[in-house]
Amino acid sequence: MPLGELRVDELDDGPQEGLFDLPPGSRHARARVVLLTGPSGSGKTSLTRRVGLPVVSLDDFYLDGDHPGLPRRYGVVDWDSPRTWDKTGAMAALVELATTGEAELPVYDIPTNARTGTTRLSLDGFPVFIAEGIFAAEIVEACLEEDILADALCIFRPRAQTFWFRLMRDLGEARKPPVTLVRRGLNLARNEPAMIADLVAKGCRKVRVEEAERDIRALLTAH
């Protein structure tokens, strides 16, 4: 089945027949992944640009807006729920990258809630790559089982800063109507401490942006 047709409900907490050809952990990884997460607007994307490593945007694994059964909030799809995300497809792509050095990735358009194509990412010999997105913590355990995890980081900064940077980005990109963006942003700000606690509970280390950059660069230097 092509990556784009895999469904989020095809991966639960148990082993999945046919997901990978070999048992978890049985491959030799050419590279390992740093999972980078944190509240929307915390600086994940700008950090990845600075460190210069190959990057998988996990947001590109969102399901299309017309996918059946998507959760809803405030009258629209709740894009902050991991149920809107293709966990199976994301893991398949990360394993392929780690073991072969390249993979086909979806391209997702957030304003229209749809995949618009694919792109091929090559690691070009880098021993470390980054997968960033708000749902990265959902695959910490799976990456450990596949022995492809280099680190799992949750970055944070003061909530007022996160709210402002997120709102400016979303308005600039016309991601959703302004009223929806403000209402969503206020809700995310209220829930941010609980969200970070959940990400840490799922296996991520809570670090400030500058600490994350230092640790990622140290991983690259160590190889």
Side-chain angles (χ1 to χ4, degrees):
M1 179 182 295
L3 270 179
E5 297 179 10
L6 292 171
R7 301 191 309 274
V8 70
D9 57 0
E10 291 177 337
L11 183 64
D12 57 23
D13 294 332
Q16 299 289 303
E17 292 184 5
L19 176 58
F20 304 118
D21 295 330
L22 300 174
S26 64
R27 297 172 184 77
H28 173 69
R30 297 185 182 183
R32 284 183 166 77
V33 62
V34 174
L35 297 177
L36 182 64
T37 189
S40 176
S42 58
K44 298 183 294 295
T45 302
S46 59
L47 171 59
T48 61
R49 289 175 182 150
R50 288 196 302 275
V51 296
L53 291 174
V55 178
V56 176
S57 173
L58 295 175
D59 287 355
D60 282 324
F61 289 90
Y62 268 118
L63 297 166
D64 286 347
D66 59 359
H67 188 87
L70 293 180
R72 302 185 71 82
R73 175 181 263 187
Y74 304 129
V76 297
V77 173
D78 181 10
W79 297 108
D80 298 306
S81 168
R83 290 171 54 203
T84 63
W85 188 64
D86 181 6
K87 180 178 178 180
T88 303
M91 268 308 300
L94 296 187
V95 169
E96 186 177 359
L97 269 171
T99 55
T100 72
E102 56 183 298
E104 196 84 12
L105 306 176
V107 175
Y108 195 91
D109 182 58
I110 289 179
T112 60
N113 304 327
R115 296 188 183 188
T116 58
T118 61
T119 185
R120 191 147 195 91
L121 177 65
S122 173
L123 299 185
D124 294 326
F126 278 102
V128 178
F129 66 101
I130 297 172
E132 67 93 2
I134 61 171
F135 301 132
E138 302 297 320
I139 53 176
V140 171
E141 185 176 346
C143 287
L144 280 169
E145 290 176 356
E146 292 292 332
D147 192 26
I148 63 170
L149 186 67
D151 207 345
L153 305 175
C154 169
I155 63 174
F156 75 102
R157 56 188 172 193
R159 273 190 284 175
Q161 288 185 19
T162 302
F163 171 82
W164 178 252
F165 284 120
R166 176 175 56 236
L167 183 61
M168 291 301 97
R169 178 203 64 196
D170 291 350
L171 287 172
E173 297 178 3
R175 290 190 170 196
K176 297 290 182 292
V179 172
T180 299
L181 293 176
V182 172
R183 186 166 54 180
R184 172 179 178 265
L186 290 172
N187 183 67
L188 290 175
R190 284 192 297 269
N191 295 332
E192 192 167 302
M195 174 193 179
I196 290 174
D198 179 63
L199 297 174
V200 171
K202 290 175 178 175
C204 296
R205 293 194 295 117
K206 181 182 175 183
V207 293
R208 293 192 178 275
V209 175
E210 58 271 20
E211 295 175 287
E213 183 169 351
R214 176 202 66 200
D215 292 347
I216 292 171
R217 292 189 186 279
L219 280 172
L220 187 58
T221 303
H223 285 79

